[in-house]
Amino acid sequence: PGRRGRDDSFYARWAAEYLDLVRSSPKPLKRLAGKRHVSESQARSLLYEARRRDLLTDSLPGKAGGQLTKKAEGLLRREHGDSQEAEK
């Protein structure tokens, strides 16, 4: 009954991808939305949720950015480590 919720790892991956684009694009939100085939509004909402879950820090009002939190870094490291173990 109903769609399963998204876990913190899902939002941490979005936040990490967003921050990669912040460093390389003048319009990171627009690029992320296009890359992931979602609306800019949906991409913004997903990043808001990442911030709400303490995975991405706030940025200055009106400016793209932020940083991954230790919680997000740990999730991504664990996920990356799990995929490396599966490859062995």
Side-chain angles (χ1 to χ4, degrees):
R3 187 170 147 190
R4 196 172 129 235
R6 296 173 171 141
D7 63 6
D8 284 348
S9 293
F10 171 86
Y11 294 100
R13 287 190 303 273
W14 268 82
E17 190 171 349
Y18 168 70
L19 292 176
D20 285 343
L21 291 170
V22 165
R23 292 186 272 283
S24 65
S25 173
K27 302 265 186 190
L29 185 66
K30 185 173 187 164
R31 291 257 334 262
L32 179 62
K35 191 174 177 183
R36 291 291 194 108
H37 308 289
V38 299
S39 68
E40 286 183 52
S41 176
Q42 187 175 3
R44 189 178 295 108
S45 293
L46 290 165
L47 294 171
Y48 173 83
E49 183 63 16
R51 286 186 166 100
R52 194 187 73 74
R53 291 179 182 224
D54 191 35
L55 301 167
L56 179 63
T57 64
D58 286 334
S59 61
L60 296 174
K63 298 286 184 183
Q67 295 181 338
L68 290 178
T69 64
K70 295 212 180 293
K71 179 179 176 182
E73 290 172 349
L75 288 167
L76 294 171
R77 207 173 15 255
R78 194 172 12 221
E79 192 174 85
H80 186 69
D82 289 347
S83 66
Q84 282 182 341
E85 288 299 317
E87 291 173 10
K88 289 182 182 176

